[in-house]
Amino acid sequence: MDKLIIKGGRRLKGDVTVSGSKNAALPIFVATILTSGMNEIGNVPFLRDINTTIKVLESLGARVEGNGHLVRIDSSGINSHEATYDLVKTMRASVLVLGPLLARFGTARVSLPGGCAIGARPINLHLKGLQALGAEITLEHGYVEARAKRLKGARINFDISTVGGTEHLMMAAATAKGETVLENAAREPEILDLAQILIRMGARIEGAGTDTIRIQGVPELTPASYEVMPDRIEAGTFMIAAAITGGDIKIHGMKPEHLDALVFKLQDAGVEITSRDNVVRVKGPKKLRGVNIKTRPYPGFPTDMQAQFMALMCLSEGASVISENIFENRFMHVSELLRFGADITVEGNTATVKGGRKLSGAPVMATDLRASASLVLAGLAADNTTEVSRIYHLDRGYESIEKKLAGLGADIVRVQE
Ligand code: EPZ
């Protein structure tokens, strides 16, 4: 296993370009199952989770060329409708193949994803929605079996905002008979990206990106080409890297409007942020102010930026109250941040960070994707040396993060553990 060695205390300077979005690319890859032919997906990031999704598609019979930037997916050869546990357990998002396989073949068998470090992450709303579309669902031996001659449009109201659930049902409804309305749908930009490629494939979708999505089923979808949107969470992570090191960087290729909630909170904390034609300049202040955040579904403060923001608040003057309202166990980074000398107390889903102290480098361990990013950020700001182990978590969602940070002047190297 690899680890990162970081010598902290350097102010980041210079330019960095954001890669394509992991959380847009994954459902977009899955949507190719609904077509039969060659799909060309551009701006795909080189990530472990992309490689896993490619393995899932190949296990179903698709032919895939490339694993990053341009990826060609020929879905004409898909002949299996089973996604096995060993693949789904590596990456939960693979469960999204269930609806498209069911829509295309009338039957599907997909392993239940199981939980992960940040929570139980059930898929009950996915399954309830598929049943509303007419699927017969049975659960046995850890697998979901689904059957439906042809899915029929329905009105579906989500009890809670679910990104994966909204994506799953938008894909399943695309070729269902009649109209489907998704109410209380999630509004994340990645959902709009998925809708765009589905529309290019011939789907009829209105309202993606709002909380009500209308889908008129069409008989079939045809292959498409599409450029994946920039990764807003990678962009937000680099914004915090500049803020936490008192640096001054320019981030290219990001869409600042995808991160309004984060930008406003960083500005409240004293970070200077200006943007001009897709280049965002971020200048860290001499003194950071403590700011409270509550994670919320989009357009609220993104849960995927909570751990990174907490690392920043460790250095701010005063206190910061951080409440995590999306996942039940997303404070795994707290115990590792304490090893840097941070002062953080957790009460239920709320963490209180007392800032105003220097962080000192330490050996720490990554536990999940965004927690790992938070440890890297703390290491950049801490004095002395930090070693972050188990960075396979980081490689799931950040393309060559150490190269990009080194390009900004950070003293960071990857070594074999
Ligand atoms: C997506 O996960 C993202 N992953 C997550 O990013 C992100 O944190 C999350 O959305 C929230 O924004 C991908 O897009 C691949 P949800 P998803 O369904 O779809 C509960 C990262 O770091 N829920 O919106 O799984 C669920 O337990 C990852 O890149 C149900 O109860 O998230 C959670 O508490 C981490 N029943 C809440 O809803 C369901 O059927 C939000 O989950 C579905 C979800």
Side-chain angles (χ1 to χ4, degrees), residues 170-345:
M170 195 161 69
M171 289 192 281
T175 56
K177 195 167 168 7
E179 179 182 60
T180 295
V181 182
L182 303 181
E183 293 171 345
N184 193 28
R187 298 162 54 186
E188 274 67 6
E190 292 75 17
I191 290 163
L192 186 52
D193 227 34
L194 173 63
Q196 312 277 38
I197 190 172
L198 286 169
I199 291 165
R200 284 218 186 146
M201 291 171 167
R204 292 173 50 203
I205 300 172
E206 283 163 13
T210 75
D211 61 3
T212 305
I213 303 177
R214 283 177 196 286
I215 302 126
Q216 305 298 336
V218 295
E220 66 163 353
L221 297 186
T222 50
S225 314
Y226 191 72
E227 282 281 305
V228 173
M229 64 177 258
D231 193 309
R232 62 193 173 98
I233 305 302
E234 183 196 18
T237 305
F238 283 115
M239 293 176 88
I240 292 188
I244 205 169
T245 59
D248 180 354
I249 72 170
K250 288 204 191 86
I251 305 171
H252 298 255
M254 66 176 277
K255 292 191 173 166
E257 65 275 16
H258 285 168
L259 284 168
D260 281 346
L262 173 69
V263 169
F264 295 147
K265 287 293 178 182
L266 287 173
Q267 288 171 333
D268 286 353
V271 180
E272 217 183 294
I273 301 170
T274 49
S275 67
R276 204 177 55 214
D277 359 312
N278 266 7
V279 179
V280 175
R281 182 171 180 185
V282 184
K283 283 176 80 174
K286 290 204 178 22
K287 284 226 171 309
L288 278 162
R289 290 188 292 270
V291 170
N292 299 337
I293 60 163
K294 291 182 186 333
T295 65
R296 291 267 180 256
Y298 191 87
F301 190 95
T303 175
D304 291 350
M305 286 303 308
Q306 178 258 107
Q308 300 92 311
F309 198 83
M310 186 185 288
L312 180 67
M313 289 295 104
C314 295
L315 293 170
S316 65
E317 297 290 299
S320 156
V321 177
I322 293 175
S323 78
E324 172 52 60
N325 303 299
I326 306 293
F327 290 108
E328 64 269 28
N329 186 34
R330 203 167 197 176
F331 284 146
M332 310 274 276
H333 40 287
V334 170
S335 50
E336 297 304 303
L337 288 172
L338 294 179
R339 293 179 49 73
F340 286 96
D343 178 351
I344 308 169
T345 47

Side-chain angles (χ1 to χ4, degrees), residues 22-23 26 92-93 118 121-126 160-165 188 303-304 326-328 330 369-370:
K22 163 178 91 80
N23 290 351
L26 299 183
R92 302 182 59 267
I118 63 177
R121 303 191 69 186
I123 58 165
N124 57 313
L125 301 178
H126 299 230
I160 47 172
S161 165
T162 158
V163 172
E188 274 67 6
T303 175
D304 291 350
I326 306 293
F327 290 108
E328 64 269 28
R330 203 167 197 176
L369 169 54
R370 306 304 171 180

Side-chain angles (χ1 to χ4, degrees), residues 140-162:
E140 52 185 26
H141 314 307
Y143 277 76
V144 184
E145 310 236 346
R147 271 180 193 61
K149 276 198 190 52
R150 180 159 185 216
L151 295 171
K152 281 185 285 306
R155 277 182 99 72
I156 295 165
N157 185 298
F158 290 105
D159 304 351
I160 47 172
S161 165
T162 158

Side-chain angles (χ1 to χ4, degrees), residues 12-81:
L12 300 193
K13 296 239 177 310
D15 298 72
V16 68
T17 301
V18 169
S19 301
S21 161
K22 163 178 91 80
N23 290 351
L26 299 183
I28 284 173
F29 273 36
V30 170
T32 63
I33 294 172
L34 292 163
T35 72
S36 175
M38 181 64 85
N39 297 270
E40 297 205 337
I41 316 293
N43 198 32
V44 176
F46 285 96
L47 298 172
R48 281 179 50 160
D49 276 7
I50 293 292
N51 294 340
T52 306
T53 310
I54 290 172
K55 278 205 200 100
V56 171
L57 291 175
E58 286 174 335
S59 73
L60 298 172
R63 243 172 24 79
V64 182
E65 286 159 43
N67 68 333
H69 295 169
L70 180 67
V71 177
R72 289 195 175 86
I73 302 170
D74 180 352
S75 52
S76 50
I78 290 182
N79 52 17
S80 147
H81 28 83

